[in-house]
Amino acid sequence: MTEPTPARIADILRQVRDADGSTILDHAALDTTMLRDGTLHVALATDRAAAGRIQSLLPAAEQALLALPDVVAASIILTAHRPAAAPAPAPAGGHRPLNLGTPGGRPAQGPILPDVRTVIAVASGKGGVGKSTTAVNLAVGLGMEGLRVGLLDADIHGPSLPRMMGLHQPPQVRDGRMAPLEAWGIRAMSIGLLVDERQAMIWRGPMVMGALGQLLGDVEWGALDVLVVDMPPGTGDAQLTLAQKVSLAGAVIVSTPQDIALLDARRGIAMFEKMNVPVLGMVENMSYFCCPNCGHRTDLFGHGGARAEAEALGVPFLGEIPLLADIRASADAGAPIVISTPSSPAGQAYRALAHTVAATVRRVK
């Protein structure tokens, strides 16, 4: 399979014009291209003013790209762009907010995450399955395994990392880059640290992707063995943006046991497979409920569905996490349960998950 050159892709994009005769590349710049499994992924850098004008041209442009050899499908996404400018002085106290209200930030200088050895995504096909709780406890558990760990909250619309990690202050700015906050032995960053938690993040795709790009490229993560990325639920622009910007070593898929959740988990696994990202395995969250009074076990959502699904799809099964009130209480209190109650069934399950993933991280060169 021969990947088309950026020059050839640009030639085709210039043939798609709007009613005024302008082409897409009159209002955007070709950012990145990638051909995987017959699907050509094209990222165009633009600004908020031009994004609406370009949007109506995308279907015709994607159709035109099918004329390229070996291209059976095409997908164009809009990424953030802002002309380079002198950095604004930091406000008193050294804090610098993310550039909210515009779809991007300053262009990254050099490769993104040059000192991060491994990047792992924690994902789910749908919301409400405990993905963020799993990501936080996995990251802290990896730190307890002796690894240097960072945790990025990539769920722009619903950031929960600050509350779960007990972080409240905004990040400091050092030499024009944000410094991640440190808690429970790991470094963490979330857009929730930069906005009021009551503020609704009513952003379209280009702004979301721009914010994600800043959280990756404008943060001084330093030397890390692994960066755990808490992905937004579903299969959309954020997942593709992350796969284009960094080399993902693998993904952990979180699901609950019932069939409805597993349907969406399959889509998540299929998405990562299409992006050539290894699936490290599936986790069954809310696997069973333990009565806090008598200890009786009840399978509220069924049991074993994720294990059976993992076996059917040929991916590893990484373990069962029980449904316990302590998990909720520890998250609300800002102390992950692997720290607050390590001997509990949930604490032990998350530690076992972290131990398994840590072995994988150490094998990655």
Side-chain angles (χ1 to χ4, degrees):
M1 183 174 292
T2 303
E3 183 160 348
T5 65
R8 181 69 181 118
I9 293 172
D11 288 341
I12 290 182
L13 292 178
R14 290 191 183 98
Q15 298 172 18
V16 180
R17 300 177 178 273
D18 61 17
D20 297 331
S22 298
T23 74
I24 285 180
L25 295 187
D26 288 332
H27 307 287
L30 189 60
D31 189 356
T32 59
T33 66
M34 175 177 58
L35 181 64
R36 284 184 177 173
D37 300 326
T39 299
L40 178 64
H41 300 285
V42 177
L44 300 177
T46 186
D47 57 27
R48 182 173 56 175
R53 184 170 184 176
I54 293 172
Q55 198 73 41
S56 63
L57 299 177
L58 296 186
E62 291 172 344
Q63 185 65 32
L65 291 171
L66 299 182
L68 292 167
D70 297 322
V71 175
V72 297
S75 172
I76 299 176
I77 63 172
L78 303 180
T79 62
H81 171 72
R82 184 180 68 180
H95 303 144
R96 183 190 69 172
L98 195 66
N99 187 28
L100 305 180
T102 66
R106 66 174 181 83
Q109 304 298 318
I112 291 181
L113 307 178
D115 299 319
V116 177
R117 192 165 64 89
T118 311
V119 182
I120 291 176
V122 178
S124 65
K126 67 190 296 288
V129 298
K131 169 188 54 61
S132 294
T133 304
T134 299
V136 167
N137 281 281
L138 171 60
V140 175
L142 288 172
M144 297 168 75
E145 292 285 322
L147 297 174
R148 296 170 297 177
V149 182
L151 175 61
L152 170 61
D153 185 356
D155 191 351
I156 303 299
H157 288 116
S160 53
L161 181 151
R163 176 64 64 90
M164 290 185 175
M165 292 289 288
L167 297 172
H168 308 290
Q169 69 274 26
Q172 298 286 324
V173 177
R174 302 169 185 166
D175 298 324
R177 291 167 64 82
M178 289 180 286
L181 274 63
E182 298 193 11
W184 310 117
I186 69 171
R187 302 168 191 169
M189 178 58 70
S190 168
I191 197 170
L193 296 169
L194 303 166
V195 299
D196 190 292
E197 68 176 10
R198 296 165 294 183
Q199 178 177 336
M201 306 301 289
I202 310 174
W203 288 2
R204 293 188 181 273
M207 297 180 70
V208 171
M209 290 181 287
L212 179 56
Q214 279 191 272
L215 293 175
L216 287 167
D218 273 6
V219 174
E220 192 60 54
W221 288 103
L224 296 177
D225 295 310
V226 57
L227 176 65
V228 177
V229 182
D230 178 16
M231 298 298 299
T235 56
D237 288 343
Q239 285 81 356
L240 181 57
T241 297
L242 182 69
Q244 289 177 328
K245 289 184 176 294
V246 300
S247 178
L248 283 172
V252 173
I253 307 298
V254 181
S255 179
T256 47
Q258 70 266 42
D259 290 343
I260 296 299
L262 291 169
L263 285 172
D264 294 308
R266 289 184 201 123
R267 297 187 182 99
I269 291 175
M271 174 195 67
F272 284 112
E273 289 177 342
K274 287 182 179 294
M275 296 190 298
N276 292 329
V277 175
V279 175
L280 302 181
M282 291 185 69
V283 176
E284 182 170 282
N285 196 31
M286 307 181 197
S287 183
Y288 54 91
F289 170 70
C290 288
C291 175
N293 296 319
C294 67
H296 178 71
R297 172 171 164 164
T298 303
D299 298 334
L300 293 177
F301 303 113
H303 181 260
R307 182 189 293 274
E309 189 67 23
E311 292 175 355
L313 295 174
V315 301
F317 180 68
L318 299 177
E320 302 173 348
I321 310 296
L323 176 62
L324 295 175
D326 284 348
I327 299 178
R328 188 273 309 161
S330 66
D332 287 348
I337 198 165
V338 292
I339 295 290
S340 64
T341 320
S343 61
S344 68
Q348 293 176 352
Y350 282 126
R351 284 301 308 272
L353 170 64
H355 183 74
T356 301
V357 175
T360 300
V361 169
R362 291 189 173 101
R363 288 196 299 267
V364 175
K365 300 298 183 183

